[in-house]
Amino acid sequence: MASTHAHQNLRPIAASGLTSHQLSTTRPVRLYFPPRSFKSRSIAVKTNQNLKWAVRLSLVDQSSPPQSTVDVEWLVGFLYDDLPHLFDDQGIDRTAYDEQVKFRDPITKHDTISGYLFNISMLKMVFRPAFQLHWVKQTGPYEITTRWTMVMKFMPLPWKPELVFTGTSVMGINPETGKFCSHLDLWDSIKNNDYFSLEGFLDVLKQLRIYKTPDLETPKYQILKRTANYEVRRYSPFIVVETNGDKLSGSTGFNDVAGYIFGKNSETEKIPMTTPVFTQAYDNELKKVSIQIVLPQDKDMSSLPDPNQETLDLRKVEGGIAAVLKFSGKPTEDIVREKEKELRTSLIRDGLRPKIGCLLARYNDPGQTWSFIMV
């Protein structure tokens, strides 16, 4: 992936328009939030507004019974420590749960702690989940809500598709035992979270399709929220080599930035290829466009050779938050701008304010790849 030669940050999503970072050939379109950044064939846009997500009540009556001594604050701290072990060898502490636990997500239902733990074991075996806990807070007298991201690989399929779910879990507390007696999962990607949700089932099937990017290093990011239309990601800092481009879907300047990593630099050093190739627009009129290649994470500004061409720059992108829309196929200029508009519309509808500028991230060589294999 590429970026300009200066320090830049990813920024929160503002109103319409692509962000100052690029899209990729897998083609997500992103709109950035906080500082600047990019991603896979996609478009990103920045925004200034804090992200807010609603929660729902648990399956437990929240009226206060007499003489209850439940220490909800202690349970919040307990979940911060316990939930990160949801899918590792240690596992969660089952003694914190009643024997009768009502577990519900859009496609799964259990009513006992044994069924709840069986569901966790099944997910570990089939999907090998990576679970990230974002926050835990009390949302009722006997209710605690958590926000999380879960990334899973469906191992039975040869291409091992990646499934991403983000959402909230509403944990109900039994006021008599002080233990958890319900667990309600709500996914960000669907509207109908009631069991059994056909919408939820189709969301799972949609993510099982063949969708693969090159097995190359790419900027690191964490998915904060995945909706039906876009993802919100937090990017770690990375470095790019960049030069001027002509349009978002164009390849002008690609040979120059590619030449830098192929050895056309002050040390004739060959640098490992990464993905994606970014094209960044800094304004809606495309008066300033850059094409960028991301440099490996083990490189820093002091260890990189200087470019041989004055038109090339090295720049550290400080990272930040971006909204990303994925799409497949050949990224013509009309398609890219339409995807940008679609992403901005979704963000504004959800109360976010994408900033001016965007990135197109292409995971295939912009000038060589046949359009029918661009996925």
Side-chain angles (χ1 to χ4, degrees), residues 221-263:
Y221 63 87
Q222 180 185 41
I223 298 174
L224 301 178
K225 185 177 184 180
R226 173 185 164 265
T227 74
N229 303 312
Y230 62 89
E231 293 177 357
V232 176
R233 301 173 179 176
R234 176 185 288 120
Y235 277 84
S236 299
F238 57 93
I239 298 174
V240 300
V241 57
E242 68 178 353
T243 191
N244 292 332
D246 57 352
K247 56 183 179 178
L248 277 170
S249 63
S251 58
T252 297
F254 175 73
N255 290 337
D256 293 334
V257 291
Y260 173 82
I261 66 172
F262 293 150

Side-chain angles (χ1 to χ4, degrees), residues 19 25 33 88 108 111 132 148 151 172 184 228 243 251 255 295 315 339 345 349:
T19 33
T25 35
F33 296 84
D88 65 15
T108 311
D111 291 314
Q132 299 169 327
W148 44 264
V151 180
L184 175 65
T243 191
S251 58
N255 290 337
L295 300 176
R315 176 169 61 88
K339 294 297 181 181
T345 299
R349 182 194 61 223

Side-chain angles (χ1 to χ4, degrees), residues 202 212 218 224 363:
L202 294 176
K212 190 171 179 61
T218 191
L224 301 178
Y363 286 101

Side-chain angles (χ1 to χ4, degrees), residues 23-29 41-43 211 247-251 326-339 360-375:
L23 318 181
S24 77
T25 35
T26 322
R27 304 179 190 175
V29 169
R41 190 169 299 174
S42 58
I43 286 183
Y211 184 85
K247 56 183 179 178
L248 277 170
S249 63
S251 58
K326 297 179 181 179
F327 63 103
S328 300
K330 189 174 181 60
T332 65
E333 197 72 6
D334 288 344
I335 290 175
V336 173
R337 299 314 295 263
E338 180 59 33
K339 294 297 181 181
L360 172 64
R362 288 174 283 183
Y363 286 101
N364 308 104
D365 182 324
Q368 303 295 325
T369 307
W370 293 332
S371 59
F372 68 86
I373 63 172
M374 287 185 177
V375 295

